[in-house]
Amino acid sequence: MRKVVLWSSVSLDGYIEGPGQDIGWHRVDEELHQHFNDELRQMGAFLSGRVTWELMADFWPTADEDPGAEAVTAEFAAIWRDTPKIVYSRTLDHADWNTTVVREVVPDEVRALTAGPGGDLALSGAGVAASFLEHDLVDEFRIYVHPVLVGGGTPLFPRTSTGMPASLRLVGTHRFGNGVVMTRHARAADRS
């Protein structure tokens, strides 16, 4: 059974982007980028919302054509193009680059995806992540905490009126040379 893995970089104060969609504070150096490549290459699909998909589609399809592109950048461009993608959007009519457009998060459809063959499913984007969390569809959290405080922006976990208590267990941690710390948490076996 494939897992849905919520994959995100966040500031120490919990934001995936600062005011004005700023992500300039992300500390992605060669070591961290190579780690991303090694891990994401194994994924069976990338799941995202429209905003995240458009940001990725604006850069990655041709990033390896730049003669000055670093090797890890060129490597990820190929990974991104080749990996199947699902973008959840009510407004996008068509998406290129091995992408399927799905209108909304339907739990039975996501469960059918996880029952299929292949690697785990990497989920990114705060809005779509909130929908997956609301439907209790996230199996693992891989959160890359960058040692910065941005003070505002888009939180990874938006506040909800109903709350989303979830029992998690720590699966692993890793500290990168640039100060970023990855934490992996998995859902406890009991989802009651």
Side-chain angles (χ1 to χ4, degrees), residues 57-165:
D58 281 347
F59 181 75
W60 289 109
T62 59
D64 53 349
E65 294 175 8
D66 178 352
E70 294 182 13
V72 291
T73 300
E75 181 182 0
F76 185 72
I79 293 167
W80 189 84
R81 279 193 309 265
D82 294 344
T83 302
K85 291 166 280 301
I86 296 173
V87 58
Y88 291 88
S89 173
R90 291 186 182 101
T91 59
L92 203 58
D93 291 323
H94 174 78
D96 292 319
W97 309 110
N98 202 12
T99 305
T100 302
V101 177
V102 175
R103 293 288 170 224
E104 62 186 71
V105 176
V106 177
D108 288 340
E109 291 175 5
V110 174
R111 288 184 196 100
L113 275 175
T114 62
D120 291 338
L121 309 170
L123 173 66
S124 61
V128 73
S131 293
F132 271 71
L133 289 166
E134 181 182 320
H135 293 295
D136 196 25
L137 296 169
V138 177
D139 301 299
E140 184 176 311
F141 299 79
R142 290 188 199 175
I143 308 301
Y144 295 81
V145 181
H146 296 248
V148 297
L149 300 172
V150 298
T154 304
L156 175 57
F157 300 109
R159 305 221 185 281
T160 64
S161 59
T162 60
M164 294 178 282

Side-chain angles (χ1 to χ4, degrees), residues 15-28:
Y15 295 96
I16 62 170
E17 58 188 15
Q21 297 183 317
D22 175 36
I23 60 169
W25 49 267
H26 283 200
R27 294 187 178 180
V28 181

